[in-house]
Every structure is written in C-alpha cells, then in structure tokens.
Amino acid sequence: MVLTTRRRTLLGMGGACSLGLLGTSAEALAAQENGRKLGYAIVGLGTYADVILPRFAECRHSRVTALVSGSPEKARRYAAQYGVPDSGLYSYDTFDTIRDNPDVDIVYVILPNGMHHEYTLRAAAAGKHVMCEKPMANTAAQAEEMIAACRAAGRKLMIRYRSHFEANNREAMRLARSGELGTLRIVTAEHGFNIGDPTQWRLNRALAGGGSLMDIGIYSLQAARYLTGEEPISVSAVESTDRSDVRFREVEDTINFQLVFPSGVVADCVSTYGSHHNRYRVVGTQGWLDAEPATAYEGNRLRLRREWRTADHPAPELALNQFSGQLDHLSQCVMTDSDPIVPGEEGLRDMRIIEAIYRSAREGRTVAL
Ligand code: NDP
C-alpha cells in the first residue's frame, strides 16, 4: 500500500518513464521502502549550500554524511549543525580519500562552475555518484568528459536543474506540451539580476566560464527547452556589455538570444547581470501562460489565459519541494538503478547551445544547431 502511494506521488511528478522508474525491480523498490537513506557529501560550503543543507531534514531517502571545504573551522561549525561526524570532514586536498567512506553514496558539487569538471571526475574516480550544480561545466568538452567518467565508473550523474522538480514549472510544462494552449507559437523567457561585488568568482572567467548566460541566462534557455519539449535548430544572439564597467572586464553582462524550434516555435530569451528578471510566457493559438516569478526558490506564480479569461492557476502540490525532491530523486535513481530525469546529457545539451549562443554573438550571424 505504501509502495503504491509512493509510486503514485512520483508518477504525479512527471510520469514513470520520465522519472526513470518504469522497469524498477520489486527488490529495488523493497530496498527503497526499508527506509535506508543514501549519504550525500556536500562539496563547497557557500551560499547555495546554505540553501540546500536544511532541506535534508525533509528528505525520505537522503541525508548529509560528509562535508568538503577549504575552511576547517567552517566545516566543523556546519558539521555540528547538521550532525556530520568528524570522520566525514574533508578538505580539497583530502577529498580523494572519500572513496574509503562507506557512508558517502553521492557527491554533490556546489563549487564555482570552473571547478565542477575536476570534482565530478574525482568523485567518479572515488566510486561515488554525482549531483553537479548548473551550469554543468565551463565547456561542452568538459561536460562530455564528465559524462564519460561517470559512465566508465558505473556511477550516475545528475545536473541540478531544480525547476524540473518545482510544482509550477512542472504544471507549465504539462500545459504547454499538452495542447491546452493550442499550437505553441512564442516563448519569452527573462532571467537576470543586477550583480554586485566586482571581485566575486561569477565575474572571473576561469571560475565562471562566462557571464550572465552561464549563471542566470541558463534558466531562460532551460525554460525554452522544457516548456516546448523541443530542441532548437538555430540560434541568433546579441551581446551588450559595457567593458568600462569594472564588473565586466572578463565576462559578458547582457546576452539576449533567439532560439528557433523544429515546430516553428520561436523563443526570445533575456540573460543579464544588469537588471532583475524572473519570468517566462508561453503563447499558443488558444491561450497563454505567464509565470512571474517563474523559477524562484519560493513564491512562484502562474497565470493562465484560455477562452478569453485570465486567472491565477495554482499548480497541484507535490509531495516534496524542489530542493528535497531533487535530492531524493537521485537517491531513488541510485537505489533503483534508473536514470535521473535531468542527467549529465541534459547539461551537455545546454552547454552545446550556450557555446552556439556565444559564437552567434561573436560572429554576428545565426548559428545552426
Ligand atoms: P558561493 O561563492 O557562495 O560558494 C562557493 C563555495 O565554493 C565557497 O563558499 C567555497 O566553499 C568553495 N570554493 C572553493 N574554491 C573556491 C574559489 N576559488 N572561489 C570561490 N569559492 C570557492 O557560490 P554559490 O553557492 O552561489 O554557487 C556555487 C554553485 O552553485 C555554482 O555553480 C552556482 O551556479 C550554483 N548555484 C545554483 C543555484 C540553483 O538554484 N541551482 C543557486 C545558486 C548557485 P568553502 O569555503 O567551503 O571551501
């Protein structure tokens, strides 16, 4: 009975196929029901780790068992707060010995983008499954190596695209792809914020891989892809960066891009470090949906226009929020040997399109994908 309920919850999130749970063996599901929680090692105790760590308390299948940090003092403080034993504390130098820690099943890389590649490779070499933050890497070539390393080690690799686990975004995907808006015509997606401290790693090319597109514009790109359920066939982009602004010596500020999809849908996307945006809109022949904020940590809002009426459209609630839902999803995929709905290949697709966006802006022409 419990099993049935759990299954139904997951099906409600997006269908067993897309969640990789079809074909799950009875033994694997039974193991899942035994209540064993898989152990996560958090690598990098920064701002986003602060968002993630409290979420383990809501998880059914995940717990935090190790911390990796350049600051032993901070690691000890977090360990006391989240109940991590001394034996689970690592520095970047001692990270590879994590292979000997049986309480760590999954390594979650929450480091600056430019370090994702190295720590994913080291985690796979240590025999651990990997959750990696977005953007997956600095380049598509690095992303390919990360996928190959995890595959060779027989480990799972999932990219932390949290919107795939958030109720409103899942509902927007369903509405957009189901035909309830008619034939899709136009998507607009805007993501940005006014970036501050010029010394932060997000403005350092080696650590960030690029500017607003790598950090926040990637949400516009993701939205265009998951709302349409299609892969773009061409991209044209325009960059606007004031290079005399001390923040933008190494990376771009604004880079707006247009994606054309095989069905004819066109997506206009904003990516900027100059102003605040968090919104998307999908327009079909029979109506539209509008989300603002669209991909925030909380308080996302969806409106729908159909049959000449516009109204708020609260999404059906999910059993878990986007943070704990995503942690548990990878744990379940490991326990049942199934594929995550946002695997390394999903991150690689974005990296290839991101490189095409940069090429288009640089060369001033449309780039075919
Ligand atoms: P922070 O700068 O707040 O934290 C990064 C942490 O990485 C630092 O605190 C530090 O931890 C460690 N680190 C190791 N080497 C360096 C270095 N050379 N420079 C800076 N930090 C270093 O970044 P965020 O937490 O905001 O971002 C981390 C990752 O998470 C990024 O890839 C980002 O894109 C992603 N992210 C994803 C979000 C999402 O919603 N999915 C939201 C926010 C970020 P320590 O001191 O413990 O060594």
Side-chain angles (χ1 to χ4, degrees):
M1 184 58 196
V2 178
L3 200 93
T4 313
T5 311
R6 182 79 37 90
R7 264 199 148 196
R8 200 174 293 135
T9 307
L10 287 162
L11 286 168
M13 286 176 63
C17 248
S18 61
L19 285 165
L21 292 177
L22 270 187
T24 297
S25 73
E27 294 77 17
L29 278 170
Q32 190 176 318
E33 292 305 315
N34 283 340
R36 177 166 118 77
K37 289 187 171 185
L38 295 197
Y40 270 82
I42 302 295
V43 191
L45 303 179
T47 316
Y48 198 53
D50 276 337
V51 173
I52 296 301
L53 280 162
R55 305 298 182 160
F56 283 98
E58 302 146 5
C59 288
R60 296 165 180 164
H61 306 294
S62 317
R63 62 191 179 120
V64 57
T65 52
L67 302 171
V68 184
S69 173
S71 163
E73 183 278 320
K74 184 165 48 169
R76 276 194 299 274
R77 189 157 37 87
Y78 277 65
Q81 189 176 349
Y82 294 104
V84 174
D86 283 353
S87 57
L89 300 188
Y90 299 87
S91 68
Y92 299 112
D93 290 337
T94 63
F95 173 74
D96 303 300
T97 63
I98 211 163
R99 77 174 70 241
D100 303 319
N101 189 337
D103 290 333
V104 174
D105 301 282
I106 298 167
V107 166
Y108 181 0
V109 181
I110 322 185
L111 294 164
N113 311 338
M115 301 171 77
H116 293 179
H117 172 254
E118 176 187 344
Y119 281 85
T120 297
L121 262 51
R122 287 170 71 177
K128 306 301 181 184
H129 303 279
V130 182
M131 174 89 85
C132 180
E133 266 305 332
K134 46 55 63 178
M136 180 173 178
N138 277 8
T139 64
Q142 286 183 343
E144 284 168 10
E145 286 174 13
M146 291 157 73
I147 292 168
C150 290
R151 190 175 295 139
R155 302 292 92 175
K156 312 251 175 240
L157 171 58
M158 173 165 156
I159 308 305
R160 183 83 188 178
Y161 287 128
R162 59 183 166 73
S163 299
H164 292 255
F165 298 83
E166 195 273 335
N168 275 19
N169 281 274
R170 294 201 66 81
E171 176 66 357
M173 283 180 218
R174 187 194 68 75
L175 287 164
R177 296 188 198 179
S178 66
E180 289 188 41
L181 304 176
T183 304
L184 298 192
R185 303 283 302 159
I186 304 282
V187 174
T188 51
E190 303 169 27
H191 284 84
F193 62 95
N194 188 1
I195 199 160
D197 177 10
T199 65
Q200 65 185 286
W201 66 261
R202 282 183 168 79
L203 299 169
N204 171 304
R205 177 163 290 281
L207 286 173
S212 70
L213 180 57
M214 297 293 278
D215 189 61
I216 190 76
I218 192 170
Y219 286 91
S220 293
L221 169 57
Q222 267 283 301
R225 291 182 51 240
Y226 62 65
L227 291 167
T228 57
E230 295 184 50
E231 295 302 327
I233 51 175
S234 70
V235 59
S236 356
V238 176
E239 185 196 326
S240 171
T241 303
D242 176 0
R243 293 290 172 188
S244 70
D245 186 326
V246 66
R247 298 172 299 173
F248 303 122
R249 295 263 161 82
E250 297 192 19
V251 302
E252 84 280 356
D253 170 3
T254 299
I255 184 159
N256 296 341
F257 52 98
Q258 187 174 68
L259 303 166
V260 177
F261 291 91
S263 65
V265 180
V266 175
D268 282 311
C269 300
V270 168
S271 167
T272 183
Y273 269 161
S275 44
H276 298 271
H277 308 248
N278 192 310
R279 177 176 186 222
Y280 56 67
R281 188 179 179 92
V282 184
V283 185
T285 51
Q286 305 299 325
W288 51 253
L289 66 81
D290 189 277
E292 185 175 25
T295 59
Y297 291 169
E298 54 190 31
N300 289 329
R301 185 168 170 228
L302 195 57
R303 284 187 313 138
L304 192 58
R305 180 164 179 83
R306 274 184 309 199
E307 295 168 4
W308 309 102
R309 284 188 60 243
T310 304
D312 278 331
H313 184 82
E317 275 188 35
L318 300 177
L320 292 175
N321 62 56
Q322 57 185 323
F323 305 101
S324 41
Q326 191 161 17
L327 293 167
D328 267 359
H329 178 63
L330 182 54
S331 295
Q332 287 179 298
C333 287
V334 170
M335 287 191 272
T336 58
D337 192 20
S338 48
D339 294 328
I341 58 169
V342 276
E345 286 77 3
E346 177 69 7
L348 172 60
R349 280 180 212 113
D350 277 349
M351 291 312 306
R352 287 182 174 146
I353 300 168
I354 283 171
E355 289 185 350
I357 292 170
Y358 282 131
R359 192 176 323 128
S360 170
R362 209 170 44 241
E363 298 177 4
R365 65 180 180 87
T366 299
V367 172
L369 291 161

